[in-house]
Amino acid sequence: MASTLALLLSAVLAVLIDGGVGGHVVPRVTFPLDSPGRSFTLFTLPDVENTTTLLLSRDEGTLFVGARDAVLALGVSAGGGLQLGKKLDWSPTEGDIDGCVMKGKDRTDCQNYVRVLQALNSTHMFTCGTFGFSPKCSYMNSEEFSLVTGPGGKPEEGRGRCPYDPFQKNTAITVGGELYTATVADYRSTRPVISRHLSEGNRVDLKLDDNVGLLEEPTFISSTFIPSEEKVYFFFSEFGREYDFIDRFTVSRVAQVCTSDVGGERTLQKRWTTFTKAQLLCQAGGELPYNVLQDVTTLPPAAGASPDETLFYGIFSSQWSVNSGSSAVCVFSLGDVKAVFSGNYKVLNKSTLKWSSSVREKITNPGECGLHNASDNALRFVKENFLADKSVLPAGQAPALVSPNERYSNIVAQRVQGAGGREYTVLYLLTESGFLHKAVVLRSGAHIVEEIQVFKQPQLVQNLVLSVSKGAVLVGSSEGVVSVPVANCSYYWSCAECVLARDPFCGWDPTRLVCAQISSIERNAVQDVAEGKVPKECNSPPVNPRARSSIKNPTGIVLPVTLNEVVNLRCPSSSRLARLHWERPGGRLSPSVYIQQPDSSLGFLATPDTLGTYACLAEENGSTQTLAVYEVTRKVDVVQEPSTISTTTTIRIPHTTPPATTQTGASTATPEPREPRLVGISTVEGTTYEMMKDLSLSLVDREAEKQLPETRPSYLRELVAVSVLLALCFSVLLLMTLYNLRKSCRGWTASRSVTPGGATPQERQVLRQDSVKLEKENGPSNGAESPSAASGGAPNGSNGHLPNIST
Ligand SMILES: *[C@@H]1O[C@H](CO)[C@@H](O)[C@H](O)[C@H]1NC(C)=O
Ligand SMILES: *[C@@H]1O[C@H](CO)[C@@H](O)[C@H](O)[C@H]1NC(C)=O
Ligand SMILES: *[C@@H]1O[C@H](CO)[C@@H](O)[C@H](O)[C@H]1NC(C)=O
Ligand SMILES: *[C@@H]1O[C@H](CO)[C@@H](O)[C@H](O)[C@H]1NC(C)=O
């Protein structure tokens, strides 16, 4: 019982705490699909589905797309336009498919899903596909866009390079014309292997030994080549057998091999001599780790910095249901990875299959390149010491970003020069629900500048690549390929908005009075990515045509109304971090007269008292801006001609109507918004504000409560908290009753004991109130079957658990 109470209490606390923080991971602006403020290119072909691999050419002018039964070359223009260049059809024959179907596979899964697409040299590429559960690979002439036979003159083996099953993950990378792959190498997807193919000159192809414990049911995620180390790093998750006290605990790993590896002479012949692996630990102190890797991207060091400052940004989710809906971004430095690999290694006890920290004398450094002519003794040591003892910890010992409500699937990162040459790291994160988040990583935590919906449906397989030179993020999925420009600075109409956005790409140009790309601003760009504090320069000239001066000197939109008409004033805010409220000069907005709707619009009845000036103010990050000013006047002309309304009054805001679900209890008395009366200034400049797809109700309401005691907010969050508290009190009462009854009449079962017989006056009060409610719903309960009759079936027929208040 005590534990139940504790649970309830913690639930209440969680509600309250969640209400207190959590603003940080909310994207500041949301662009639902087809928002004019953030348009993008969608490339589709009717017969091409399941984009499985994306590869950007070295000059970033061509995007190669591996899909189902096809390889495409798309031209990428500046800003991210996509045009079909070439298309190669690569399907299994009907016979191949029939054979696959005979083995019990689904016909669509028996198509050819292209899973390896890599450039070998300036003229050739290498590609592999699942080919109806019988993987095949081929050289490809990039110019003619045709499959060709390689130097061997024979068809290329797909096994060990490409999975059989299109739902199995794999990774591949070419370095110097050689192909490094990590995949499962059999029909049943039980034999994972990391290997090198197409080895140049007289070098032999290498693969992983069959040694126990090298790979434990891995899911391969990605791979990268680090030239300074001459190493290929593989990222994957697998079962962490070293944690044998937790059942099937997943761990994330980084593994490495040297590109100079040629295997051993006797020991480890045709096997890696340089394979080692280590755990990547993404955890905030004391919390459950985010242990399941989803994607990793490599961010090269800043110009002039040490290669050890190469960063790996990883997305992690959790294997536990408590935080299954959330994900974390952790960043690991190459320096830290190297330090872990040059430390001690764990050893596996062959008989007990248990890992322990090695205490043996180091014969050689596992993972060191150039062991090809090392002694058998050294190679035997290497063969057994491949799991680093220490884990790689994230920079700052904590995740760079934790998103409690979004599961991220893909990530790319970019260094961006902001105003004054300051450098920022921008992350593009794809959510499983089809949104692209753009976040800037700051010392104070991550700030999500915007989220853009790029797909209608959640997508199972997604790919993400970035073209820095074209300024576009390229996303592949079953629906097609989407190219999103990295920023749209002109969306921010004022200096304050431009600064508050904290977008490293954007700054306010004090000369042209526009928010523009930093690179296009000649001097004195106004920007504050780190803190988003709106500086004084922003207010000096009346630059914002929409925030017409101040409330004392209103020159806002004039809105003629007839008396007793319901007026609904819209507040065109786009920031989910802003707190919106309404003001009148001198007049307090009494909640009995004014209703601030969940979408922050202001509703009231036109009376002589309510005519006048209204301003909607947004407070964000310590600065307040006027978003809209209305002058509500009495219409002189009594005749209501619709044409007059549309010409003299107002411009309709093309907002999407907020979903009906946001109209919760408190706003049942809400007047019907009268569409022709909806006025706004957002269309004046031809620019649109998108109302949030789901304008964060809780945020607005909480603010309304704090900021606007004089308006009438809806206390949804509070309502939840209070209901939980009420439930808690009620259960305490029940418990007490129960306890009393136990004392007085043993033998009663708990389920029967809810009679107010032994109840205190307060309890009776509570119960009485309950019954009043019931009566309202069901009519007077003169012994009729009512939902609460169950509790009333007390054997002693005790005075009707449903005391009729009227008696
Ligand atoms: C950028 O935003 C402006 C203003 O909302 C809009 O007119 C323009 O179409 C947008 N551009 C893109 C590429 O989304
Ligand atoms: C291919 O895309 C379809 C949806 O268009 C999806 O149902 C299917 O699972 C995808 N197949 C693979 C192997 O990703
Ligand atoms: C690229 O590789 C292919 C296949 O190995 C080879 O035939 C071709 O000559 C190479 N081209 C160049 C320019 O090295
Ligand atoms: C290893 O082989 C290289 C030539 O491949 C040779 O130059 C070097 O001396 C050898 N090192 C040892 C320790 O035998």
Side-chain angles (χ1 to χ4, degrees):
M1 281 299 157
S3 65
T4 317
L5 275 180
L7 237 147
L8 270 169
L9 258 174
S10 61
V12 173
L13 277 176
V15 167
L16 296 177
I17 289 167
D18 183 32
V21 291
H24 285 291
V25 287
V26 175
R28 183 174 178 273
V29 183
T30 299
F31 296 94
L33 208 61
D34 301 327
S35 301
R38 210 66 172 87
S39 51
F40 55 80
T41 309
L42 168 65
F43 178 89
T44 53
L45 280 182
D47 56 338
V48 175
E49 283 182 67
N50 299 80
T51 302
T52 47
T53 40
L54 296 180
L55 173 73
L56 204 54
S57 66
R58 192 183 280 258
D59 65 3
E60 301 192 342
T62 309
L63 180 70
F64 297 103
V65 180
R68 191 171 87 190
D69 297 335
V71 182
L72 312 176
L74 307 182
V76 186
S77 47
L82 299 174
Q83 310 83 34
L84 178 62
K86 297 197 170 99
K87 176 166 180 258
L88 167 77
D89 292 301
W90 190 23
S91 335
T93 63
E94 277 305 314
D96 292 333
I97 294 174
D98 289 344
C100 172
V101 172
M102 295 262 281
K103 288 185 214 158
K105 300 293 178 187
D106 192 277
R107 185 162 277 270
T108 51
D109 298 344
C110 286
Q111 307 293 322
N112 182 29
Y113 293 86
V114 174
R115 299 302 291 274
V116 175
L117 189 60
Q118 288 286 314
L120 282 178
N121 57 28
S122 54
T123 57
H124 284 74
M125 311 215 304
F126 196 78
T127 182
C128 305
T130 57
F131 223 83
F133 282 80
S134 171
K136 284 189 173 37
C137 294
S138 178
Y139 285 85
M140 209 178 132
N141 184 315
S142 347
E143 272 304 301
E144 289 161 14
F145 226 62
S146 59
L147 299 179
V148 294
T149 49
K154 287 179 299 191
E156 291 292 323
E157 168 93 61
R159 217 178 102 124
R161 302 169 176 182
C162 177
Y164 288 61
D165 183 337
F167 291 99
Q168 283 289 328
K169 294 194 177 183
N170 69 306
T171 176
I173 187 170
T174 48
V175 180
E178 299 178 315
L179 179 71
Y180 295 79
T181 61
T183 184
V184 281
D186 63 334
Y187 185 79
R188 285 163 200 264
S189 306
T190 53
R191 286 197 39 237
V193 61
I194 292 179
S195 43
R196 183 176 72 206
H197 313 270
L198 318 180
S199 300
E200 291 277 329
N202 52 8
R203 286 151 59 94
V204 289
D205 284 353
L206 296 176
K207 61 179 186 179
L208 211 50
D209 204 19
D210 298 326
N211 209 346
V212 59
L214 281 164
L215 293 171
E216 303 274 10
E217 298 176 47
T219 303
F220 296 113
I221 300 295
S222 78
S223 47
T224 186
F225 171 61
I226 304 291
S228 63
E229 297 292 310
E230 297 187 324
K231 284 176 180 172
V232 173
Y233 290 89
F234 292 93
F235 299 93
F236 55 96
S237 58
E238 64 173 356
F239 286 117
R241 207 70 64 158
E242 70 267 34
Y243 296 91
D244 56 0
F245 50 90
I246 310 178
D247 193 36
R248 310 260 315 158
F249 178 52
T250 303
V251 295
S252 294
R253 303 272 196 215
V254 54
Q256 62 133 61
V257 294
C258 295
T259 52
S260 63
D261 201 336
V262 290
E265 260 163 27
R266 284 175 299 275
T267 306
L268 290 176
Q269 245 184 41
K270 296 189 181 175
R271 301 287 186 270
W272 297 109
T273 63
T274 55
F275 174 87
T276 56
K277 65 178 183 181
Q279 186 182 352
L280 293 173
L281 194 58
C282 183
Q283 187 172 23
E287 289 178 20
L288 283 173
Y290 289 90
N291 55 328
V292 187
L293 191 63
Q294 301 296 332
D295 195 19
V296 176
T297 189
T298 305
L299 184 65
S306 152
D308 283 1
E309 283 169 41
T310 302
L311 298 175
F312 305 115
Y313 281 88
I315 299 172
F316 295 80
S317 61
S318 168
Q319 97 181 71
W320 292 283
S321 54
V322 254
N323 43 8
S324 64
S326 59
S327 47
V329 176
C330 275
V331 49
F332 304 90
S333 76
L334 177 61
D336 288 346
V337 171
K338 280 167 65 182
V340 166
F341 279 139
S342 61
N344 286 333
Y345 281 76
K346 292 185 198 297
V347 277
L348 183 65
N349 183 323
K350 289 263 167 57
S351 54
T352 64
L353 291 182
K354 283 194 190 303
W355 288 93
S356 60
S357 292
S358 172
V359 287
R360 280 193 297 179
E361 185 198 341
K362 251 191 176 180
I363 295 171
T364 180
N365 283 323
E368 205 169 85
C369 301
L371 287 178
H372 39 282
N373 48 7
S375 66
D376 281 346
N377 199 22
L379 288 179
R380 269 198 299 274
F381 183 82
V382 163
K383 197 175 161 174
E384 282 171 7
N385 291 262
F386 54 85
L387 176 57
D389 191 27
K390 289 218 162 65
S391 300
V392 188
L393 299 179
Q397 318 294 310
L401 169 66
V402 175
S403 181
N405 310 316
E406 289 290 356
R407 275 174 64 96
Y408 292 128
S409 61
N410 298 77
I411 183 171
V412 286
Q414 177 183 13
R415 290 183 198 278
V416 179
Q417 290 255 322
R422 274 183 290 274
E423 200 161 76
Y424 300 96
T425 302
V426 170
L427 305 180
Y428 304 92
L429 297 148
L430 211 50
T431 72
E432 286 185 353
S433 53
F435 282 79
L436 182 68
H437 283 194
K438 181 168 96 185
V440 54
V441 182
L442 299 166
R443 204 160 295 165
S444 55
H447 165 70
I448 303 178
V449 177
E450 55 187 351
E451 67 171 349
I452 304 154
Q453 188 178 6
V454 288
F455 294 116
K456 277 189 221 86
Q457 304 283 331
Q459 301 286 315
L460 196 68
V461 179
Q462 305 184 119
N463 290 279
L464 193 59
V465 295
L466 172 72
S467 169
V468 172
S469 64
K470 307 286 181 192
V473 183
L474 304 157
V475 189
S477 85
S478 309
E479 278 181 25
V481 182
V482 163
S483 168
V484 187
V486 291
N488 181 16
C489 301
S490 59
Y491 175 77
Y492 304 109
W493 66 91
S494 73
C495 179
E497 276 291 314
C498 190
V499 172
L500 286 168
R502 301 167 74 189
D503 188 329
F505 288 99
C506 302
W508 183 255
D509 185 341
T511 317
R512 290 181 291 159
L513 301 183
V514 288
C515 190
Q517 291 247 352
I518 287 289
S519 52
S520 74
I521 301 174
E522 281 180 7
R523 59 199 151 87
N524 300 334
V526 184
Q527 185 190 55
D528 181 5
V529 177
E531 298 197 24
K533 295 282 177 229
V534 178
K536 280 196 227 51
E537 301 101 277
C538 268
N539 303 325
S540 43
V543 287
N544 180 354
R546 275 167 238 175
R548 293 155 212 259
S549 44
S550 78
I551 189 160
K552 285 172 220 113
N553 179 22
T555 55
I557 291 278
V558 176
L559 175 59
V561 297
T562 44
L563 290 186
N564 293 325
E565 157 183 4
V566 174
V567 180
N568 195 44
L569 304 180
R570 291 274 179 137
C571 188
S573 169
S574 58
S575 171
R576 290 168 68 182
L577 306 182
R579 306 160 170 193
L580 305 179
H581 71 280
W582 289 86
E583 282 183 6
R584 299 187 66 178
R588 297 188 60 80
L589 300 188
S590 156
S592 58
V593 179
Y594 297 98
I595 295 165
Q596 184 164 350
Q597 318 265 19
D599 70 354
S600 290
S601 63
L602 186 71
F604 58 91
L605 205 63
T607 64
D609 283 345
T610 57
L611 296 178
T613 306
Y614 293 83
C616 177
L617 285 84
E619 200 218 309
E620 183 173 356
N621 209 5
S623 88
T624 304
Q625 297 176 78
T626 308
L627 294 183
V629 178
Y630 294 91
E631 186 70 40
V632 180
T633 60
R634 189 167 171 184
K635 194 176 281 172
V636 192
D637 191 1
V638 195
V639 188
Q640 270 208 343
E641 278 179 53
S643 60
T644 335
I645 296 172
S646 53
T647 50
T648 56
T649 48
T650 49
I651 310 105
R652 275 192 54 195
I653 293 194
H655 286 158
T656 53
T657 329
T661 47
T662 55
Q663 309 260 339
T664 47
S667 50
T668 39
T670 296
E672 279 286 307
R674 296 180 45 171
E675 280 298 282
R677 297 277 172 227
L678 301 184
V679 284
I681 35 188
S682 69
T683 43
V684 172
E685 277 74 36
T687 315
T688 321
Y689 297 95
E690 292 303 319
M691 208 40 101
M692 258 38 32
K693 164 183 53 116
D694 135 49
L695 184 82
S696 83
L697 169 66
S698 57
L699 184 77
V700 172
D701 289 344
R702 237 182 308 136
E703 294 331 318
E705 196 246 340
K706 269 187 237 151
Q707 303 278 315
L708 288 176
E710 60 280 336
T711 63
R712 192 174 156 192
S714 80
Y715 297 94
L716 179 67
R717 193 175 283 276
E718 284 68 25
L719 209 123
V720 170
V722 166
S723 328
V724 175
L725 273 170
L726 229 148
L728 209 142
C729 292
F730 204 78
S731 43
V732 170
L733 284 177
L734 280 177
L735 282 174
M736 282 168 63
T737 320
L738 205 147
Y739 181 67
N740 282 342
L741 287 168
R742 271 266 165 89
K743 257 178 152 178
S744 52
C745 29
R746 274 162 203 255
W748 278 26
T749 67
S751 63
R752 290 149 147 192
S753 60
V754 201
T755 81
T760 64
Q762 290 97 318
E763 287 174 81
R764 273 190 222 113
Q765 184 66 37
V766 170
L767 288 165
R768 210 171 283 142
Q769 281 165 4
D770 234 12
S771 78
V772 172
K773 219 182 327 156
L774 266 164
E775 279 181 24
K776 274 191 187 152
E777 283 162 16
N778 306 335
S781 61
N782 18 346
E785 283 282 274
S786 79
S788 61
S791 62
N796 64 351
S798 80
N799 65 358
H801 60 286
L802 286 179
N804 197 333
I805 202 151
S806 54
T807 57

